[in-house]
Structure formats: C-alpha cells, structure tokens
C-alpha cells in the first residue's frame, strides 16, 4: 500500500511534534532515490528518511544505518549547500495531497536569513524531492527533473515556479458530509468499495474496503442498489471512520500468515481477520520503517550492485562465447587425419603424378580403396605433399593450443561464476569495492580506483556454533584466500559446497575435536553463503585446513584438496541466523 493523504497528514503532525525547531546537521543520499536528514533537538538527534522510490515512497524518523556512496550525488550537495545548519520551522501537508512540506530557515552565502522548502512528493512512480525558494516560489532543483517531454502538464525544473498537481474532481473524504459522499457513491453501478474510491479523494482503497467491511459485515453489494437503511448505515460507518481518524488514530500493520507485512493504515483493518494478524505501533514512523525495511534494504543493495553485476555478467557471457568458439574450432581441427594421409600417398606416388594436375586418384594402401586427392596445379607433386604435411602439423599444434585454452577458459568461467555469486551476496558498498579491487587486480576492470583514504578491510562473517566453536566465512575470493591460507591453521575444518560457487567456511578448532553438531551447522552456513542457498540436500565437501593447498596460477578463491568427505545438507535458515554474531 502507498501512503494516502490522510495518513500523510497524521505523519506530518507526528514529525512536527518531534522535530519542530530542530537544527539540520547533515544531509546524506544513500541511494539515488533517498535522502537522510540528520536533525538534532535540545534533547535528542534524529534521522529523517525521505524516500522517493516508486515502490516504497515514504518519510519518517528512522533508526536504520545507511552506507553512503564515496562521492555524494549532486542533489545531496545541493541540499547541503542550501539547508545545512538551518532550523526546521514547519512541517505541513496540503489537503488531499500526498506532499509533505519541510520548511527551513537557513543562512545564504551573504549571511542573510532565507526560507527554503523541501517538498517531499510521495506519489508512487511520480515521487520526488523538490527544493523550493519560498520568497518567489521558484524551484532550485529536483531529485528527478521533469521536463516537457516527461510531462506536458507539470514540469519540475530549476527556475520554474513550483505548482501543485491538478486535483481530481472528487469529494474530500475527511471533510465531506457522509450523506453527500453516500449519495455520490450510490450513483455508480459498482460495488460499494469501488464506488467510494471513485467518489472520494484523500484515502486509499484499503480504507474504502474497511468502511464497507464494517458496514456490511464482509459483503460488498452494488452501490446503486442500496436501500435507504443501508445508505444510512454506510453514512454512519463513514462518520465513525472519520471520527476515529481525528480522535483516536491507531497505526496498524497487517501481517500475513507467512509473517510478511501485507497492508497498513491509520486504523485497525478488521477486514483481514482472522486469516492475518494486526500489529499496532506507537508512531507512523515506526510502522513505515518496519513495513518497508526489508524491501528497502534489498533495493538499496540492488542499486549499488547493478553496475558491477552487469559488468561481471557481461564478462561471464563473453567467456562462455569464447569457450563455445574454441570448442567449434577444436572440432574442426580434429578433422586432420586426411591431410596426413594425402601427403603420405602423394609422396609415395610421385613417379606417377605429372605437374599441372588439379587432382589425382591414388590407391589408399591402408584400405585398398582409390581416393581422389585435390592438387594445386601451380605447385609440383612434392610441394603439394609438403603443403598437406604442413597443414596437418598446423592442425595438430592448434589442437594442443585449443585444449590448453579450453582448460584456461573453464577456469575463467568458474572464477567469474564465483564473482557473480559474490556480487549477489554482497552486503554493502565496502564489499562491492573489495570485489572491484579484486577484478582490477585480475585485469578485468581498468578504471576502478580506490579513494585515497585508507579503508579498514572487511572482516570475515562470524558465527558461533551451539557447541561454542567460532565459524568464519569469507565475503569474497580475496577473503577466502586470506581465511583458508593465512587465518586458519592445521586441524581447523574447511567447508565448501561441491562444484558450485560459494564462500570458504572454516571452523576454528583451537586444537579441540569438533563435534558432529558443529560440523553440520558449519555445512549449513557454507550452503547459505553459496549459489545453492535455498536448495535442499546440497553436497558440501569438508576437510582439515592442512590438506588445502594453492598452486601458482590459480585464481583468487581457488584451492586444491584431495582427501575430503562429503555431507548432504538442507540448511535451517532460522538456526543459521541465530548463530551469527556481529563482526569485530
């Protein structure tokens, strides 16, 4: 569900009560669609998240931690220039509009006090952040610029006047007399919930359905066939909903039987009972953060990794194409025995071949059959024989070279498959940068350059088994090498999914015998951090670290081992999650 105007108005009042007169300390932009304002009041510091992402547009106080890009985007720099150090003097909405206005008093370059308004437009795929100069209502800039090609009706470009979107010709849900609303809805040949949605503005479909559910006990009759008594009941349900909104709003989220957030509103949604459960919240900010947190985290990571993922995928596809071309060339080169035979037969029958012929028919003494052999009339019989021997030798050399190239290509494909898996499982910008650095070192990326400031290397992913053994997992190929070849010792136990990309997983034994329960848990963790995550009965190889070796020429993350055991594991996601501990 998207935020409707009624819920947004409650959120605006909630933010105003907490943040009014707060000072803006810092502006960050974790992703292209989000901005985070750090504000402090006399008693506390708050982070205000403003999201213009189409699927999860929202505003609210957040407790999440965000990983910011190394270079701030241009819109972030604009907000810092105009708003940093300013005081929040108003938080408001326009009636029936899904736009939140944050007004700041700031100091400009000349030292004068000026008013700047940040319009947070939460309108689905048209969501946007627009910075406006209050004195002349001119747009300073927008997160997503809208020109005349994008919209002939409403443009959002620097220098243009800021205007509100056109209002639909509907009745305001919160301020219209319920009898008038019912009369308008009953003029439509639609189910009551749809008729209400067509007639009013300011609330979403879920509120209209809730009103009808409370009035007709779960039924949704046709609006144009309601009796006078039913119309009175509907008007009464509308009045009760508006009264509940004004006097006792209760932010509530609907959770499905599978434990996933389904809907939310400013009131309990009884229409979803008993199949779902209702969870109440003390604030809309907390509700929105809980509702969108998982989805937003995945989307932030997807945005950060999109470019790198595309690069690695292209490298992988190119390696596959080269491998196919080499196989075809090898198959053609393997057809070479006839060249040796032709050269041999010509050499053995020079006495009966005259110069200038285009072909000759000779007896194949291996099969006692006559075969026709093409000749180049420009060359002598001896030269034709030498030509076939030379081509035969060339094909044989090609076979040797192509066989080696195919071997190298298979190694490269396995390596790039492992990098693709790493990118998909990367948990943040630091891990993606580690992968970029690895690819640059391997010669795949030319232009990646780390920032000059030294960044602390990523730590291993850490778990602790129920028996108390520490289990370490590499985040990428470079870490896999460091973990297996430098951190782990002797009788520590090493795990990896069989014949598939995945992280190295090591149980630190500290000289003790490792029980079967810990081995099983380590194998589950190895599956979780691999391309086979989510599969059942996954083959996992394990052996002592002292049996692992790496020879010259092996790519990062690739090792050799001979003596090992294999377990078939179906991971328990809940158990694996419970074993994880925070990184040092």
């Amino acid at each position: 569900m998207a935020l409707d105007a009624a819920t947004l108005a409650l959120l605006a009042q909630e933010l105003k009560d907490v943040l009014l007169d707060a000072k803006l300390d810092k502006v960050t932009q974790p992703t292209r669609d989000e901005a985070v304002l750090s504000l402090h009041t006399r008693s506390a510091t708050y982070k205000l998240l403003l999201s213009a992402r189409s699927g999860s547009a929202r505003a609210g106080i957040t407790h999440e931690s965000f990983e910011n890009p190394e270079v701030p985007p241009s819109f972030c720099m604009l907000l810092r220039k105009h708003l940093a150090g300013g005081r929040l003097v108003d938080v408001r909405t326009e009636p029936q509009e899904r736009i939140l206005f944050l007004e700041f008093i700031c100091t400009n370059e000349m030292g004068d006090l000026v008013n700047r308004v940040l319009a947070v437009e939460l309108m689905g795929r048209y969501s946007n952040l627009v910075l406006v100069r209050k004195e002349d209502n001119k747009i300073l800039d927008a997160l997503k610029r809208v020109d005349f090609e994008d919209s002939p009706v409403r443009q959002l470009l620097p220098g243009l006047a800021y205007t509100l979107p056109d209002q639909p010709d509907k009745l305001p849900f919160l301020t219209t007399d319920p009898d008038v609303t019912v009369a308008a809805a009953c003029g439509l040949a639609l189910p009551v919930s749809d008729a209400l949605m067509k007639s009013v503005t300011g609330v979403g479909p879920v509120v209209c359905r809730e009103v009808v559910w409370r009035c007709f006990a779960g039924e949704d009759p046709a609006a144009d066939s309601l009796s006078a008594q039913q119309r009175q009941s509907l008007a009464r349900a509308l009045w009760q909903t508006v009264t509940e909104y004004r006097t006792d709003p209760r932010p509530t989220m609907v959770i499905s039987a599978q434990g996933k957030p389904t809907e939310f509103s400013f009131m309990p949604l009884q229409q979803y009972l008993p199949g779902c459960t209702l969870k109440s919240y003390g604030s809309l900010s907390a509700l929105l953060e809980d509702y969108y947190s998982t989805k937003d985290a995945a989307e932030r990571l997807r945005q950060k990794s999109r470019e790198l993922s595309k690069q690695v995928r292209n490298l992988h596809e190119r390696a596959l194409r080269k491998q196919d071309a080499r196989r075809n060339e090898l198959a053609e080169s393997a057809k070479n025995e006839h060249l040796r035979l032709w050269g041999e037969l010509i050499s053995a029958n020079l006495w009966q071949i005259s110069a200038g012929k285009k072909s000759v028919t000779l007896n194949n003494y291996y099969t006692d059959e006559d075969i026709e052999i093409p000749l180049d009339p420009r060359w002598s019989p001896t030269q034709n024989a030498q030509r076939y021997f030379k081509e035969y030798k060339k094909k044989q050399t090609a076979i040797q070279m192509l066989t080696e190239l195919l071997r190298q290509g298979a190694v490269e494909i396995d390596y790039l498959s492992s990098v693709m898996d790493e990118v998909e499982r990367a948990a943040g910008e630091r891990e993606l940068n580690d992968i970029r650095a690895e690819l640059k070192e391997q010669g795949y990326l030319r232009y990646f350059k780390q920032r000059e400031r030294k960044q602390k290397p990523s730590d291993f992913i850490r778990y602790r088994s129920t028996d108390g053994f520490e289990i370490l997992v590499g985040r990428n190929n470079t870490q896999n090498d460091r973990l297996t070849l430098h951190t782990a010792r002797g009788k520590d136990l090493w795990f990896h999914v069989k014949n598939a990309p995945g992280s190295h997983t090591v149980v630190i034994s500290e000289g003790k015998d490792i029980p079967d329960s810990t081995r099983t848990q380590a194998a589950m963790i190895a599956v979780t951090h691999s391309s086979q995550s989510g599969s059942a009965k996954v083959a996992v190889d394990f052996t002592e670290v002292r049996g692992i070796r790496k020879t010259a020429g092996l790519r990062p993350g690739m090792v050799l081992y001979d003596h090992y055991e294999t377990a078939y594991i179906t991971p328990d996601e809940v158990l694996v999650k419970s074993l994880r501990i925070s990184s040092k």
Side-chain angles (χ1 to χ4, degrees):
M1 171 185 169
L3 270 172
D4 56 33
T7 306
L8 184 59
L10 291 175
L11 177 63
Q13 186 58 51
E14 178 184 298
L15 295 176
K16 188 173 184 177
D17 292 342
V18 176
L19 300 176
L20 194 64
D21 209 36
K23 182 179 179 181
L24 179 60
D25 286 332
K26 187 178 180 182
V27 181
T28 57
Q29 191 177 339
T31 65
R32 65 181 184 184
D33 299 322
E34 294 175 314
V36 178
L37 310 184
S38 296
L39 301 126
H40 80 261
T41 63
R42 294 183 178 182
S43 57
T45 300
Y46 300 92
K47 287 189 292 187
L48 179 61
L49 172 64
L50 309 175
S51 173
R53 186 176 296 124
S54 59
S56 56
R58 62 185 173 110
I61 295 171
T62 180
H63 299 286
E64 289 188 68
S65 296
F66 301 93
E67 191 170 18
N68 297 305
E70 293 184 348
V71 179
S74 57
F75 188 72
C76 176
M77 298 302 292
L78 178 87
L79 294 182
R80 290 178 181 180
K81 174 183 175 182
H82 289 279
L83 301 183
R87 284 190 305 108
L88 182 64
V89 295
D90 194 18
V91 182
R92 64 181 185 277
T93 59
E94 286 289 328
Q96 321 314 320
E97 292 287 358
R98 289 179 293 168
I99 304 177
L100 179 70
F101 295 97
L102 305 173
E103 184 176 343
F104 294 87
I105 289 183
C106 313
T107 304
N108 64 12
E109 298 92 333
M110 304 299 294
D112 300 324
L113 292 178
V114 292
N115 287 60
R116 298 288 181 261
V117 178
L118 183 58
V120 185
E121 301 185 349
L122 307 175
M123 302 182 293
R125 63 192 181 101
Y126 301 108
S127 299
N128 210 339
L129 303 180
V130 186
L131 185 62
V132 180
R133 193 166 49 212
K134 185 178 181 181
E135 52 265 29
D136 56 6
N137 198 41
K138 291 294 179 67
I139 298 173
L140 291 170
D141 209 344
L143 178 66
K144 306 172 187 176
R145 293 183 177 181
V146 180
D147 59 19
F148 292 89
E149 292 184 359
D150 297 325
S151 172
V153 179
R154 182 172 181 256
Q155 296 79 43
L156 297 173
L157 294 170
L160 297 183
Y162 180 78
T163 58
L164 295 174
D166 292 337
Q167 283 274 11
D169 187 19
K170 295 181 180 181
L171 302 171
F173 179 85
L174 297 175
T175 56
T176 304
D177 185 277
D179 292 325
V180 175
T181 301
V182 171
C186 290
L188 300 174
L190 294 169
V192 180
S193 60
D194 293 338
L196 281 177
M197 193 62 212
K198 292 282 187 180
S199 304
V200 301
T201 183
V203 294
V206 68
V207 175
C208 295
R209 292 197 303 268
E210 183 67 17
V211 170
V212 173
W213 192 93
R214 293 184 179 188
C215 178
F216 299 107
E219 296 184 2
D220 196 359
D224 58 350
S225 65
L226 294 182
S227 65
Q229 184 176 359
Q230 287 176 317
R231 293 188 181 198
Q232 289 178 359
S233 297
L234 181 58
R236 188 161 51 252
L238 286 168
W239 178 82
Q240 290 172 346
T241 301
V242 174
T243 301
E244 184 177 350
Y245 170 85
R246 290 175 174 165
T247 61
D248 187 26
R250 287 174 286 171
T252 304
M253 183 166 70
V254 180
I255 302 175
S256 69
Q258 293 74 34
K260 296 183 177 180
T262 304
E263 278 284 3
F264 65 86
S265 186
F266 55 81
M267 62 181 181
L269 298 173
Q270 300 173 8
Q271 60 188 289
Y272 288 94
L273 298 175
C276 300
T277 56
L278 303 182
K279 183 177 179 180
S280 297
Y281 289 83
S283 69
L284 281 166
S285 288
L287 182 152
L288 294 172
E289 182 167 29
D290 209 3
Y291 186 85
Y292 288 115
S293 58
T294 302
K295 180 180 180 182
D296 280 355
E299 177 61 23
R300 288 186 198 109
L301 186 56
R302 190 182 70 83
Q303 283 191 21
K304 290 177 183 293
S305 64
R306 181 187 291 121
E307 181 182 354
L308 181 59
S309 178
K310 182 179 179 180
Q311 289 175 317
V312 177
R313 195 180 306 113
N314 289 341
L315 290 168
H316 186 260
E317 290 173 356
R318 187 176 69 179
L320 290 174
R321 290 195 300 269
K322 288 169 64 177
Q323 196 77 336
D324 286 340
R326 287 165 180 165
R327 288 196 191 97
N328 294 334
E329 190 176 351
L330 180 62
E332 289 297 320
S333 297
K335 302 173 183 177
N336 58 28
E337 279 301 315
H338 67 287
L339 298 173
R340 182 192 59 77
L341 177 63
W342 288 356
E344 186 179 319
L345 292 178
I346 292 172
S347 297
N349 294 276
L350 291 174
W351 57 275
Q352 63 172 321
I353 304 173
S354 58
K357 285 189 174 184
K358 292 185 178 181
S359 65
V360 64
T361 301
L362 299 174
N363 179 262
N364 181 358
Y365 40 71
Y366 292 109
T367 62
D368 198 26
E369 295 177 351
D370 289 341
I371 60 173
E372 185 177 0
I373 302 174
L375 298 175
D376 190 328
R378 297 171 299 171
W379 294 344
S380 67
T382 301
Q383 289 174 319
N384 274 287
Q386 292 301 318
R387 177 169 67 93
Y388 283 128
F389 283 133
K390 185 176 181 181
E391 288 185 15
Y392 172 74
K393 186 176 181 181
K394 184 178 178 181
K395 294 280 189 182
Q396 288 294 100
T397 303
I399 290 174
Q400 295 175 3
M401 294 181 65
L402 287 169
T403 302
E404 176 60 22
L405 287 173
L406 283 170
R407 186 194 66 77
Q408 295 175 6
V411 171
E412 181 180 32
I413 289 170
D414 288 344
Y415 172 69
L416 291 173
S417 296
S418 72
V419 176
M420 287 174 62
D421 179 58
E422 290 172 8
V423 174
E424 290 176 4
R425 292 187 288 108
E429 186 71 24
R430 181 185 294 180
E431 292 183 29
L432 292 172
N433 280 340
D434 289 343
I435 296 171
R436 291 186 183 100
E438 176 188 326
L439 289 172
K440 183 176 185 296
E441 185 179 343
Q442 293 299 308
Y444 289 107
L445 294 183
R446 292 184 180 180
Y447 303 111
F448 173 67
K449 183 179 180 181
Q450 292 273 25
R451 293 190 71 179
E452 292 300 323
R453 67 180 184 184
K454 291 185 178 180
Q455 205 170 31
K456 183 181 178 182
S458 302
D459 189 21
F460 302 120
I461 303 171
R462 296 175 179 269
Y463 292 84
R464 191 171 299 281
S465 73
T466 52
D467 300 304
F469 287 85
E470 188 174 30
I471 303 172
L472 304 181
V473 181
R475 297 177 186 269
N476 50 61
N477 285 320
T478 303
Q479 270 203 6
N480 286 339
D481 280 350
R482 179 155 59 92
L483 172 60
T484 302
L485 304 174
H486 301 287
T487 302
R489 293 288 184 272
K491 295 185 69 175
D492 295 345
L493 211 53
W494 181 90
F495 293 78
H496 196 283
V497 289
K498 191 179 189 70
N499 299 328
S503 292
H504 294 198
T505 302
V506 174
V507 180
I508 305 299
S509 65
E510 296 181 345
K512 304 174 185 176
D513 291 333
I514 300 174
D516 290 342
S517 56
T518 293
R519 296 182 182 213
T520 301
Q521 291 164 11
M524 288 183 180
I525 292 169
V527 174
T528 301
H529 293 279
S530 76
S531 60
Q532 303 302 303
S533 177
S535 301
K537 295 184 179 179
V538 180
V540 179
D541 291 343
F542 62 96
T543 184
E544 291 184 350
V545 168
R546 61 186 174 184
I548 304 288
R549 67 187 188 279
K550 189 179 185 79
T551 58
L554 283 181
R555 298 288 185 114
M558 294 185 176
V559 294
L560 301 174
Y561 55 95
D562 300 316
H563 305 289
Y564 61 92
E565 297 178 65
T566 301
Y568 292 87
I569 296 295
T570 299
D572 183 338
E573 293 183 10
V574 176
L575 175 60
V576 170
K577 189 174 181 180
S578 69
L579 298 177
R580 185 159 180 172
I581 58 178
S582 58
S583 299
K584 292 181 181 178

